[in-house]
């Protein structure tokens, strides 16, 4: 008996460790399943707006184009991106390198590229057009590329940049959009079921004032500076003669360059982009209207277009005759998801950190051990009934 | 009851006004002088800063490499100039075409109203040569101008050489959004006037010029270059233009910002900035710099080729290279880089320069005084005139005790108004004579006296001026009635108000001229009455008259430039200043001479009349 007791003590400790591992495994299993079912969107849209014109506002166009580049690289196609640029910097007469828009000094990165598709250009970028795009109230003759054809399962990324102030954003030196107008437009979108979730990013002076008035659910907002602070530009390029990027978007671009379509970074990482030491202004964010926990929201939920495919177990009757039925019974197969975009083919990516799982045989052995210990402790006679 | 409608209060106010009038006037005068002198005290000034957002900071990379080649071109230009004996038009056309510009020429000719002895010219004929660098991708709607004068002798060869070197370098760049016009003008201001009139299709001065074959677009800014040596020790910027107009302060700010970036010594009025503003010598240095600017602005002349652009709302400045005995020399490449940087920044402009001040005074290149700060000095002087007018009005309104009834008052005041009209008309006729006679009757003067035409004109002007002094003794024979006590008061009221309006309008356009005239004429206006001692006040009045103000200004100007002159030389300089003033009016439309002859002088004559009122 004492020998049994001694063994039972050590077995108890072992049992505790095994229970712990079992709980972790359960939780991990829960997470994987939870992640799969947590975001309810099926498609992604992006509305990227640059509101300033003139050569000395080069940096706003570069901001917008760098976000466009990231969003396109992560999978959102041009048909799902509404890009509004108020001025043409690449072909401006003052550009010493025509047909380029650089975001890094010494012309390291040309964000204009070969395949930029601008939907609203020049004087078409107005407050009215922007609100019409958001709410969908466009005349029937508007081409599809200029429409935001989102539905109630769309996640939309809205990025605004330009000159702003407390409660307003300046469009093209002649008009402004106020935070109240913007909040009302989002409410219209909610009531018309035009979005599932919305991520709103604004890079202007006093940007936090623009999201103060939001009241519709499922909106998460980020701004580059608080009320009373100015968002600063990052670096001038002497050869071109202007500032190339704003600080917040520069660090945002650096952060996004590390994201690939299968990455699991979440919104909490995005909130940490550009702390005060780098940005001089204090970036802010607002998550109270968002129903999910930001820690569970992936960056690619908004910036990329990772499609979730629903697989149905039901048999589908085809009207055309099938030559042979494959088999009478439906085979039980375990399904797994193919990588949408192979990671190795994408440049600028760091190797994916694989989570470590204990090998399968070990788990089986562990279960066997647990059962044996159980029956050993509580009576071997029960074993007969099982085997 | 209200302050002004209550008769008791009104009487109290009026008595206060009459009692304290003279002390307040004296106080205001000294306050105005102190305010003006205090303007150059550094804590009262503001640092200059770039106001135009589109120009941004000096964030540009200057890469002009070809200073030596520019100097070689300058030597070639000098040699050709000497060979031709004037402007080497063909060589310039060929050189500019070789650099890829569209080259055009313009011929002009002008017969001056009388020979110009300073520049030794009477019948002027010349050619302007200009080349247009078309912006590679932009529509031809806007232009910038870089000009260098073709001067006789060896002057300004390097300016033309640098201009051609910059043209060659600019032609290779793709980022020009405006056309750049490289202009070499002959006979400095006359040629520039002909070119500007041809460019803008106006003809205000009666010059003869051939129309321009090639045009750029509306000119946004212009720089004129004067460089006569291979190396310079400092660069001077000249801002004062025709009629005292100044370019937008942003142009001076741009120049200063680039001077600091590149590390070239920059000056204004040819004086180097000092840092010790709290010492007496530092303060007096700033005062002298500002006084130089005030005098240059008051003269209404254009002190560089840029001055004629300002009339067309084109911001322009002249950059002069000065080579003095300093150790640190700046070579032509650096000067070229400075100009390249300035032009790249001007290229970024979307609208004309309008964000910064148009009216300012500069005690040094890094500090300025805006119109809001210097206008109260003039305002205090104008207040004196208004107080005097109020005082006279009160005196006119309250009849003197010896008059019995109101009827006689009204009769007297009505005759007073009519009697005022006569001196007014006669003074203005004298002014008109001062304006027209000198130039019209110069031939007659030359016939009768053995003097050159220029001297004839100047001496006729002085003669008419002095002749006006004899008027009061003669005009009284024309007036029907006797002069009365009321009469001279009415005349003085009219004269004081006339002077106030005249000086006010002048100060708005050309503050320096208005202020200097006010400094001398306001005391005249305030104290003159028929009852002051005649001889003494006559002398004082003559000393404070515009002609003597000009004489003193000439001497003070020479002192400030550290080239003091003896009385003989000063007198000759004074005569030449008068002739230049008259020439400026006929050649370029300067308004100082007509203003003084037609308005200020008659006004002063009215006061002279009052002094000798019987």
């Amino acid at each position: 008996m004492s020998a049994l007791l001694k063994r039972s003590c050590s077995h108890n400790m072992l049992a505790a460790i095994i229970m712990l591992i079992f709980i972790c495994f359960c939780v991990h299993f829960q997470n994987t399943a939870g992640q799969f079912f947590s975001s309810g969107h099926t498609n992604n849209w992006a509305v990227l707006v640059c509101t300033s014109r003139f050569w000395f506002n080069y940096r706003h166009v570069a901001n917008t184009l760098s976000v466009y580049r990231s969003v396109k690289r992560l999978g959102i196609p041009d048909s799902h991106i509404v890009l509004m640029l108020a001025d043409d910097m690449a072909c401006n007469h003052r550009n010493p390198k025509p047909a380029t828009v650089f975001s890094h000094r010494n012309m390291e990165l040309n964000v204009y590229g070969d395949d930029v598709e601008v939907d609203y250009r020049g004087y078409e970028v107005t407050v009215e057009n922007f609100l019409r795009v958001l709410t969908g109230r466009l005349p029937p003759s508007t081409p599809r590329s200029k429409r935001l054809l989102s539905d109630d399962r769309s996640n939309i990324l809205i990025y605004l940049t330009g000159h702003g102030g407390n409660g307003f954003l300046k469009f093209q030196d002649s008009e402004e959009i106020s935070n109240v107008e913007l909040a009302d437009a989002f409410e219209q979108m909610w009531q018309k079921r035009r979005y599932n979730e919305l991520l709103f990013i604004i890079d202007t002076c006093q940007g936090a004032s623009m999201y103060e008035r939001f009241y519709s659910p499922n909106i998460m907002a980020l701004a580059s500076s608080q009320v009373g602070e100015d968002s600063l530009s990052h670096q001038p390029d002497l050869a071109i003669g202007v500032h190339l990027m704003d600080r917040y978007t520069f660090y945002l671009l650096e952060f996004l360059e590390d994201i690939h379509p299968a990455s699991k970074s979440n919104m909490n990482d995005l909130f940490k982009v550009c702390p005060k030491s780098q940005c001089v202004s204090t970036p802010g964010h607002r998550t109270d209207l968002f129903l999910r926990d930001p820690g569970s929201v992936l960056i690619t939920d908004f910036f990329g277009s990772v499609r979730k495919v629903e697989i149905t177990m039901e048999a589908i009757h085809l009207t055309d005759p099938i030559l042979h039925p494959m088999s009478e019974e439906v085979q039980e197969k375990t399904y797994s998801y193919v990588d949408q975009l192979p990671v190795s083919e994408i440049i600028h990516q760091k190797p994916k950190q694989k989570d470590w799982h204990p090998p399968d045989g070990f788990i089986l052995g562990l279960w066997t051990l647990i059962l044996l210990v159980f029956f050993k402790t509580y009576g071997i006679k029960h074993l007969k009934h099982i085997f | 009851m209200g302050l002004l409608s209550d008769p008791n209060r009104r009487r109290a106010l009026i008595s206060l006004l009459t009692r304290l009038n003279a002390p307040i006037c004296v106080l205001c005068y000294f306050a105005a002088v102190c305010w003006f002198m205090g303007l150059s005290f550094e804590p009262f000034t503001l640092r200059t800063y770039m106001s135009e957002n589109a120009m941004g900071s000096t964030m540009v990379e200057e890469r002009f490499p070809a200073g030596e080649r520019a100097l070689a071109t300058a030597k070639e230009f000098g040699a050709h100039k000497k060979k031709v004996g004037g402007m080497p038009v063909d060589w310039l056309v060929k050189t500019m075409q070789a650099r890829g510009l569209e080259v055009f020429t313009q011929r002009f000719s002008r017969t001056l109203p009388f020979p110009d002895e300073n520049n030794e010219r009477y019948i002027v004929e010349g050619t302007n040569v200009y080349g247009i660098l078309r912006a590679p991708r932009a529509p031809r709607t806007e232009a910038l101008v870089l000009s260098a004068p073709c001067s006789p002798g060896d002057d300004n060869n390097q300016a033309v050489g640098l201009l051609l070197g910059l043209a060659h370098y600019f032609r290779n760049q793709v980022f020009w959004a405006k056309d750049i016009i490289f202009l070499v003008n002959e006979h400095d201001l006359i040629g520039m006037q002909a070119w500007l009139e041809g460019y803008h299709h106006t003809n205000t001065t009666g010059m003869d010029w051939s129309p321009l074959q090639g045009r750029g677009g509306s000119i946004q800014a212009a720089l004129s270059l004067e460089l006569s040596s291979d190396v310079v020790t400092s660069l001077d910027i000249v801002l004062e233009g025709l009629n005292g107009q100044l370019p937008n302060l942003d142009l001076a700010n741009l120049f200063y910002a680039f001077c600091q970036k590149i590390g070239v010594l920059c000056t204004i009025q040819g004086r180097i900035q000092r840092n010790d503003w709290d010492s007496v010598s530092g303060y007096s240095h700033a005062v002298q710099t500002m006084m130089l600017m005030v005098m240059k602005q008051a003269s209404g002349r254009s002190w560089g080729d840029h001055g004629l652009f300002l009339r067309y709302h084109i911001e322009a400045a002249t950059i002069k290279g000065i080579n003095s005995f300093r150790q640190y020399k700046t070579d032509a490449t650096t000067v070229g880089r400075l100009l390249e940087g300035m032009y790249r920044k001007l290229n970024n402009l979307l609208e004309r320069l309008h964000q910064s001040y148009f009216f300012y005074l500069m005690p040094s290149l890094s500090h300025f005084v805006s119109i809001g700060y210097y206008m109260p000095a003039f305002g205090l002087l104008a207040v004196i005139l208004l107080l005097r007018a109020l005082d006279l009005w009160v005196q006119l309104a309250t009849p003197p005790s010896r008059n019995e009834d109101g009827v006689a008052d009204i009769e007297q005041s009505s005759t007073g108004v009519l009697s005022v009209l006569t001196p007014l008309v006669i003074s203005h006729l004298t002014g008109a004579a001062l304006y027209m006679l000198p130039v019209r009757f110069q031939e007659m003067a030359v016939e009768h006296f053995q003097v050159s035409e220029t001297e004839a004109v100047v001496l006729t002007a002085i003669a008419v001026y002095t002749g006006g002094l004899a008027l009061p003794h003669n005009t009284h024979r024309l007036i029907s009635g006797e002069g009365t006590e009321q009469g001279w008061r009415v005349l003085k009221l009219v004269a004081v108000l006339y002077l106030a309006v005249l000086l006010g309008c002048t100060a708005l356009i050309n503050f320096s001229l208005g202020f200097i005239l006010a400094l001398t004429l306001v005391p005249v206006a305030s104290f003159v009455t028929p009852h002051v001692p005649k001889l003494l006040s006559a002398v004082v009045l003559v000393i404070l008259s515009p002609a003597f103000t000009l004489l003193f200004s000439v001497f003070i100007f020479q002192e400030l430039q550290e080239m003091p002159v003896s009385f003989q030389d000063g007198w000759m300089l004074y005569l030449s200043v008068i002739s230049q003033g008259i020439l400026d009016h006929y050649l370029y439309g300067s308004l100082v001479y007509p203003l003084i002859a037609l308005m200020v002088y008659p006004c002063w004559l009215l006061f002279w009349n009052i002094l000798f009122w019987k």
Side-chain angles (χ1 to χ4, degrees):
Chain A
M1 201 57 186
S2 63
L4 205 66
L5 216 62
K6 241 196 272 185
R7 257 167 61 200
S8 81
C9 278
S10 60
H11 279 310
N12 271 339
M13 272 184 8
L14 198 57
I17 296 167
I18 287 161
M19 288 302 281
L20 210 62
I21 295 169
F22 168 62
I23 289 165
C24 290
F25 177 70
C26 271
V27 167
H28 176 80
F29 181 72
Q30 186 64 31
N31 264 350
T32 329
Q35 265 174 3
F36 175 63
F37 288 114
S38 62
S39 69
H41 72 285
T42 59
N43 55 78
N44 284 82
W45 284 81
V47 178
L48 310 174
V49 184
C50 161
T51 60
S52 332
R53 57 172 39 239
F54 304 138
W55 174 244
F56 56 89
N57 288 324
Y58 184 101
R59 59 188 187 278
H60 296 139
V61 173
N63 288 352
T64 317
L65 282 174
S66 57
V67 175
Y68 171 80
R69 187 184 171 279
S70 304
V71 145
K72 210 162 148 182
R73 179 177 56 79
L74 290 171
I76 304 185
D78 272 317
S79 56
H80 283 227
I81 303 179
V82 178
L83 178 62
M84 303 171 89
L85 295 180
D87 202 358
D88 184 7
M89 295 306 166
C91 299
N92 194 308
H93 313 307
R94 296 170 181 79
N95 196 342
K97 303 275 175 206
T100 60
V101 173
F102 290 108
S103 65
H104 282 63
R105 192 176 23 192
N106 298 325
M107 299 174 227
E108 281 167 21
L109 184 60
N110 173 17
V111 287
Y112 200 63
D114 289 335
D115 55 351
V116 170
E117 195 181 289
V118 182
D119 301 305
Y120 285 83
R121 62 192 69 214
Y123 287 107
E124 291 172 352
V125 178
T126 57
V127 174
E128 181 188 345
N129 280 351
F130 175 59
L131 291 176
R132 282 186 185 280
V133 162
L134 287 182
T135 54
R137 296 177 194 279
L138 287 161
S141 55
T142 318
R144 283 178 74 87
S145 60
K146 286 188 163 173
R147 287 177 187 267
L148 178 66
L149 296 164
S150 56
D151 53 28
D152 64 321
R153 312 280 256 136
S154 307
N155 274 12
I156 307 182
L157 165 72
I158 297 184
Y159 176 81
L160 292 174
T161 183
H163 289 290
N166 192 354
F168 67 92
L169 169 64
K170 188 172 79 153
F171 266 69
Q172 295 223 38
D173 226 20
S174 59
E175 50 181 0
E176 295 137 12
I177 187 172
S178 66
N179 49 4
V180 176
E181 269 182 308
L182 199 57
D184 286 342
F186 287 159
E187 175 65 14
Q188 272 197 51
M189 286 174 81
W190 173 251
Q191 289 186 4
K192 291 170 77 164
R193 298 284 177 264
R194 278 171 70 77
Y195 69 89
N196 175 36
E197 282 164 352
L198 203 108
L199 177 63
F200 175 78
I201 305 184
I202 184 160
D203 187 355
T204 63
C205 302
Q206 307 193 51
S209 62
M210 287 306 280
Y211 62 61
E212 274 172 3
R213 301 291 192 120
F214 291 169
Y215 55 94
S216 319
N218 272 347
I219 300 184
M220 189 172 346
L222 281 109
S224 59
S225 57
Q226 302 293 330
V227 174
E229 285 180 350
D230 286 341
S231 283
L232 300 178
S233 53
H234 186 239
Q235 50 187 339
D237 184 316
L238 292 181
I240 301 181
V242 285
H243 286 283
L244 294 182
M245 284 271 270
D246 280 331
R247 280 173 191 253
Y248 182 74
T249 311
F250 181 79
Y251 291 108
L252 183 69
L253 177 66
E254 271 192 4
F255 172 76
L256 288 175
E257 290 287 295
D258 290 337
I259 306 289
H260 56 85
S263 89
K264 297 282 179 271
S265 317
N266 55 40
M267 281 298 159
N268 284 333
D269 302 325
L270 191 60
F271 296 155
K272 289 198 209 96
V273 162
C274 208
K276 196 176 166 89
S277 56
Q278 282 175 327
C279 254
V280 185
S281 58
T282 320
H285 54 89
R286 180 176 176 182
T287 51
D288 57 314
L289 293 167
F290 204 74
L291 295 177
R292 287 195 287 155
D293 170 36
S296 68
V297 179
L298 297 179
I299 302 280
T300 50
D301 279 352
F302 289 102
F303 283 89
S305 183
V306 180
R307 273 162 239 261
K308 304 289 191 302
V309 181
E310 278 185 32
I311 296 177
T312 171
M313 301 293 222
E314 295 166 8
I316 299 170
H317 294 285
L318 298 171
T319 50
D320 287 330
I322 309 167
L323 291 173
H324 324 276
M326 299 303 304
S327 70
E328 288 203 46
E329 55 203 52
V330 178
Q331 293 237 340
E332 290 273 350
K333 281 198 284 186
T334 52
Y335 299 96
S336 65
Y337 299 102
V338 184
D339 257 11
Q340 293 283 320
L341 291 143
V343 178
S344 53
E345 284 180 27
I346 294 168
I347 2 169
H348 304 292
Q349 308 303 332
K350 286 207 200 93
K352 180 170 122 177
Q353 299 274 16
K354 288 186 85 118
D355 296 345
W356 181 83
H357 300 286
D360 296 328
F362 175 70
I363 293 171
L364 203 61
L366 206 60
W367 270 107
T368 319
L369 190 63
I370 288 166
L371 283 170
L372 278 172
V373 166
F374 173 71
F375 283 109
K376 205 75 194 278
T377 327
Y378 292 105
I380 204 155
K381 53 185 187 292
H382 299 286
L383 204 58
K384 284 206 297 276
H385 297 281
I386 295 176
F387 292 112
Chain B
M1 290 239 277
L3 196 64
L4 289 177
S5 46
D6 181 10
N8 287 330
R9 287 232 188 110
R10 207 196 321 189
R11 245 178 282 133
L13 265 179
I14 289 169
S15 69
L16 197 73
L17 191 67
T18 16
R19 259 187 311 125
L20 292 180
N21 206 315
I24 293 182
C25 287
V26 169
L27 196 66
C28 280
Y29 188 79
F30 282 113
V33 173
C34 290
W35 189 294
F36 185 72
M37 297 311 278
L39 284 175
S40 28
F41 190 49
E42 201 164 295
F44 297 159
T45 61
L46 294 166
R47 286 201 76 91
T48 55
Y49 55 94
M50 288 296 297
S51 299
E52 175 67 59
N53 209 357
M55 284 214 283
S57 59
T58 54
M59 177 172 56
V60 85
E61 212 178 333
E62 304 96 359
R63 283 196 236 115
F64 177 66
E68 301 307 313
R69 219 176 323 150
L71 294 177
T73 319
K75 283 203 200 29
E76 236 185 281
F77 173 70
H80 281 270
K81 190 163 66 167
K82 213 174 297 204
K83 199 168 69 170
V84 175
M87 173 100 135
V89 176
D90 295 323
W91 179 85
L92 264 177
V93 168
K94 212 161 36 85
T95 321
M96 281 190 182
Q97 273 174 346
R99 279 157 171 69
L101 308 177
E102 291 178 19
V103 189
F104 307 95
T105 59
Q106 180 200 29
R107 297 192 59 80
F108 61 90
S109 73
R110 177 79 156 112
T111 310
L112 273 59
F114 54 90
D116 182 356
E117 277 179 7
N118 280 22
N119 301 332
E120 285 150 19
R121 54 193 183 191
Y122 179 46
I123 300 177
V124 171
E125 272 176 12
T127 318
N128 292 330
V129 179
Y130 64 105
I132 308 182
L133 188 160
R134 298 288 183 193
R137 293 172 280 147
R140 300 173 179 185
T141 47
E142 293 174 346
L144 297 169
V145 174
L146 177 62
S147 82
C150 171
S151 314
D154 265 334
D155 285 336
N156 287 326
N157 286 346
Q158 282 83 358
V160 176
L162 190 60
L163 180 137
L164 292 170
L166 280 173
H168 186 71
Y169 176 70
F170 284 178
R171 185 72 178 85
N172 292 332
Q173 312 301 321
V174 293
F175 47 68
W176 296 112
K178 304 182 204 287
D179 294 343
I180 305 190
I181 303 178
F182 295 92
L183 168 68
V184 180
N185 54 321
E186 201 178 355
H187 298 297
D188 49 271
L189 283 170
I190 299 182
M192 186 59 89
Q193 179 71 18
W195 190 82
L196 279 170
E197 283 186 354
Y199 198 88
H200 293 97
H201 307 295
T202 62
N203 197 331
T204 50
T205 57
M207 214 185 297
D208 222 350
W209 36 262
S210 65
L212 295 185
Q213 302 296 320
R215 228 179 152 271
S218 85
I219 303 177
Q220 306 288 299
L223 282 180
S224 180
L225 198 57
E226 284 178 28
L227 197 60
S228 302
S229 54
D230 281 353
V231 287
V232 290
T233 52
S234 62
L235 287 174
D236 193 45
I237 188 167
V238 183
L239 298 169
E240 299 84 11
L242 195 66
N243 289 328
Q245 204 174 350
L246 298 169
N248 198 295
L249 188 58
D250 263 341
L251 202 57
N253 296 340
L254 184 68
F255 174 73
Y256 184 57
F258 270 100
C259 283
Q260 288 201 302
K261 180 187 181 197
I262 294 189
V264 182
L265 184 64
C266 287
T267 60
I268 191 167
Q269 317 297 342
R271 299 167 78 87
I272 299 169
Q273 198 167 329
R274 283 168 65 143
N275 287 333
D276 53 343
W277 53 265
D278 43 358
S279 71
V280 174
S281 54
Y283 170 68
S284 77
H285 185 90
V287 166
Q288 283 168 31
T289 316
M290 200 178 79
M291 280 308 297
L292 271 172
M293 179 164 183
V294 162
M295 299 204 133
K296 284 188 177 175
Q297 199 186 6
S299 69
R301 307 191 61 214
S302 171
W303 289 85
D305 282 356
H306 70 286
L308 300 172
F309 281 93
L310 298 171
R311 198 211 305 252
Y312 298 94
H313 200 190
I314 300 169
E315 312 309 326
T318 300
I319 297 183
K320 290 209 298 218
I322 298 177
N323 193 11
S324 64
F325 302 105
R326 295 176 86 73
Q327 217 175 356
Y328 189 72
K329 307 270 187 193
T330 311
D331 61 346
T333 312
T334 319
V335 177
R337 289 213 172 137
L338 188 138
L339 289 170
E340 180 200 350
M342 285 183 78
Y343 270 88
R344 274 206 74 175
K345 284 287 138 187
L346 289 172
N347 182 41
N348 282 355
L349 281 178
L350 298 149
E351 309 163 297
R352 290 176 192 272
L353 286 168
H354 66 283
Q355 301 278 9
S356 190
Y357 299 93
F358 287 101
F359 297 96
Y360 50 88
L361 291 174
M362 297 189 89
S364 71
L365 201 51
S366 62
H367 290 264
F368 74 100
V369 182
S370 72
I371 185 170
Y373 283 92
Y374 67 58
M375 225 16 143
F378 178 78
L380 285 167
L381 291 176
V383 155
I384 298 177
L385 289 175
L386 290 176
L387 283 174
R388 277 287 173 215
L390 271 174
D391 186 36
L392 281 165
W393 181 258
V394 161
Q395 284 178 21
L396 281 172
T398 61
S401 45
R402 62 171 188 270
N403 277 1
E404 301 86 46
D405 51 338
V407 178
D409 277 298
I410 299 167
E411 267 183 28
Q412 289 208 330
S413 56
S414 66
T415 49
V417 167
L418 278 182
S419 71
V420 157
L421 209 56
T422 323
L424 265 177
V425 167
I426 294 181
S427 317
H428 280 90
L429 282 177
T430 321
L434 180 59
Y435 178 67
M436 289 197 300
L437 287 184
V439 176
R440 278 213 189 186
F441 292 110
Q442 54 174 313
E443 293 103 27
M444 220 165 25
V446 167
E447 271 173 42
H448 291 288
F449 305 98
Q450 296 301 319
V451 285
S452 67
E453 283 98 335
T454 321
E455 286 176 10
V457 168
V458 174
L459 293 174
T460 316
I462 296 181
V464 173
Y465 189 94
T466 330
L469 297 181
L471 272 175
H473 307 284
N474 300 320
T475 53
H476 277 284
R477 297 196 204 123
L478 288 172
I479 297 176
S480 43
E482 282 280 311
T484 57
E485 276 296 309
Q486 295 293 77
W488 75 257
R489 287 210 170 85
V490 174
L491 179 61
K492 188 171 176 193
L493 178 65
V494 169
V496 162
L497 288 175
Y498 180 41
L499 184 68
V501 167
L502 183 65
L503 288 179
C505 295
T506 313
L508 280 178
I509 301 171
N510 187 343
F511 165 77
S512 313
L513 184 62
F515 189 75
I516 292 179
L517 286 175
L519 269 183
T520 51
L521 289 176
V522 162
V524 162
S526 357
F527 82 81
V528 77
T529 66
H531 304 299
V532 292
K534 289 253 194 305
L535 190 59
L536 181 64
S537 21
V539 168
V540 169
L541 219 62
V542 166
I543 288 185
L544 290 177
S545 73
F548 269 81
T549 314
L550 185 60
L551 182 65
F552 294 141
S553 308
V554 165
F555 281 104
I556 294 174
F557 187 67
Q558 290 300 114
E559 277 284 334
L560 284 174
Q561 289 201 310
E562 283 153 22
M563 295 188 293
V565 287
S566 64
F567 187 69
Q568 295 282 67
D569 293 330
W571 177 255
M572 298 310 293
L573 195 60
Y574 174 64
L575 295 180
S576 80
V577 162
I578 296 181
S579 73
Q580 286 294 312
I582 301 177
L583 269 179
D584 273 353
H585 170 63
Y586 283 100
L587 284 177
Y588 320 119
S590 161
L591 293 172
V592 174
Y593 175 62
L595 179 80
I596 302 225
L598 291 174
M599 306 237 178
V600 174
Y601 176 61
C603 202
W604 180 84
L605 267 186
L606 285 176
F607 291 113
W608 184 255
N609 254 316
I610 294 172
L611 182 62
F612 289 102
W613 191 268
K614 275 197 258 296

